[in-house]
Amino acid sequence: MKSQKTIFAALMLMLSASFYAQSQEREQLTVPLSDPAKEVKLNVNLITGSIKVMGYDGKDIIIDAIAPVSEKKQTRERADGMKKISTNDGFEIVAREQNNIVNVSTDRVNMKVNLTIKVPRKASLKLKTINDGDIYVESVAGNHEISNINGEIKMKNVAGSVVANTINENIIINFTDITPNTPMAFTTLNGNVDVTFPANLKANVKLKSDMGEVLTDFDIDVDKTAAKVKQTADKEKGLYKIQKDEWTYGKINGGGPEIMMKTMHGDVLIRKIK
C-alpha cells in the first residue's frame, strides 16, 4: 500500500513595527504525488478567501498561500477592568496527499487566505469557498465540482465536465473539450451564467432565467410543445396548487447528455467556440 504524505505549513505572521496595515505574508508548499503519471484529484475547502488553480507541465502540486497581516494588535477591555490583547499570530495550511488525492484546508476559518495552486494539467478539482473570494481555474482537464457563495466562478481553457454553483456572482466558463456522455449543471442566483462550448457539442439543454434573457449562437432545436402544468392538492387543508414549468428545453446537434443552466437575476448565455 502506498504511503500517505502529509505536509503541514504553519505560517506564523508575527506582528512588528515593520509591517504596514494590510500588508501580506506569503508561504509556499510543494506536494509530491504518489504517481505523477496518473490523474490528480485536488480538494480545496475554504471559508474565507479565493482559490486560483493553474495547470502546468510539472509533476508536483505547488501551493502559494497569501494572508493579510494587520498593523496593530487589538485591545479589548473586559468588565473586570483587565485588558485582553489579541494578535493575528499566524495560520496553518494543511495539505494531505494519498494515492494522488490531495486535500487542502486551513485552520483559521475567519482569516482570509488566498490560495494559488499549480497542478498537472490532468486533474479533477473539487473547490469550495464561501466569503470574500473568487474561484479561478485555467488549463486543467478533468471532472470538476466548483462551489462558491459570495464570489465569481471563472474557468478558462478547461476540458472535461463541470458542475458549478454560486449565489451572488457570475459563472463564466470556456471549454476547449468536454467529456462525452456526461451531464453538467451551472446555477447562480444573482449573476450571469455564460458558458462557451466546442462547436461539436451534443446535448439536451435545460435553460432558465427568471428575470433575464436566454441567449445562444448555437442552432438549438427548441421544444415548442406547451409548458408542462402540474397540479397538486391537499384535501385535508383545502389547498390546491398549480405549478407551470417555464424552462426552455432543446437539443444541440441531435441531443445528448443534459446540460442545465439557471439564474434568477441575470442572463443565460450558451456560446459556441468561434
Side-chain angles (χ1 to χ4, degrees), residues 45-93:
N45 195 337
L46 293 183
I47 300 297
T48 305
S50 63
I51 304 169
K52 182 177 183 180
V53 179
M54 307 286 291
Y56 83 118
D57 296 323
K59 296 182 178 181
D60 299 326
I61 289 182
I62 302 173
I63 304 170
D64 282 300
I66 300 175
V69 178
S70 302
E71 178 185 14
K72 297 180 180 179
K73 300 176 181 178
Q74 297 179 355
T75 303
R76 184 175 62 189
E77 186 168 350
R78 304 194 319 181
D80 59 5
M82 298 295 288
K83 292 183 174 63
K84 180 180 179 181
I85 298 175
S86 60
T87 63
N88 182 8
D89 59 353
F91 67 97
E92 185 176 75
I93 295 293

Side-chain angles (χ1 to χ4, degrees), residues 42 44 51-54 61-63 104 115-119:
L42 174 67
V44 183
I51 304 169
K52 182 177 183 180
V53 179
M54 307 286 291
I61 289 182
I62 302 173
I63 304 170
V104 180
L115 299 179
T116 298
I117 305 175
K118 291 183 179 180
V119 300

Side-chain angles (χ1 to χ4, degrees), residues 59-204:
K59 296 182 178 181
D60 299 326
I61 289 182
I62 302 173
I63 304 170
D64 282 300
I66 300 175
V69 178
S70 302
E71 178 185 14
K72 297 180 180 179
K73 300 176 181 178
Q74 297 179 355
T75 303
R76 184 175 62 189
E77 186 168 350
R78 304 194 319 181
D80 59 5
M82 298 295 288
K83 292 183 174 63
K84 180 180 179 181
I85 298 175
S86 60
T87 63
N88 182 8
D89 59 353
F91 67 97
E92 185 176 75
I93 295 293
V94 180
R96 292 183 172 91
E97 191 278 350
Q98 185 174 26
N99 298 328
N100 277 38
I101 300 174
V102 181
N103 295 290
V104 180
S105 60
T106 179
D107 67 331
R108 291 295 185 92
V109 297
N110 294 321
M111 178 188 289
K112 181 176 180 179
V113 179
N114 297 326
L115 299 179
T116 298
I117 305 175
K118 291 183 179 180
V119 300
R121 295 185 188 277
K122 188 177 181 181
S124 289
L125 310 176
K126 187 173 183 179
L127 311 178
K128 181 179 181 180
T129 189
I130 295 176
N131 295 314
D132 201 14
D134 298 328
I135 294 178
Y136 179 81
V137 177
E138 184 173 349
S139 301
V140 180
N143 298 314
H144 313 303
E145 297 179 39
I146 314 295
S147 176
N148 201 346
I149 300 297
N150 295 308
E152 183 178 64
I153 295 172
K154 189 171 184 179
M155 306 178 73
K156 181 180 179 182
N157 296 333
V158 295
S161 68
V162 174
V163 173
N165 65 85
T166 184
I167 292 180
N168 291 318
E169 272 294 349
N170 299 323
I171 295 175
I172 304 172
I173 301 175
N174 170 253
F175 283 95
T176 58
D177 196 10
I178 60 171
T179 303
N181 303 316
T182 303
M184 292 186 272
F186 312 89
T187 61
T188 186
L189 187 65
N190 298 303
N192 296 330
V193 178
D194 188 340
V195 185
T196 301
F197 294 100
N200 62 355
L201 172 70
K202 294 180 179 293
N204 292 346

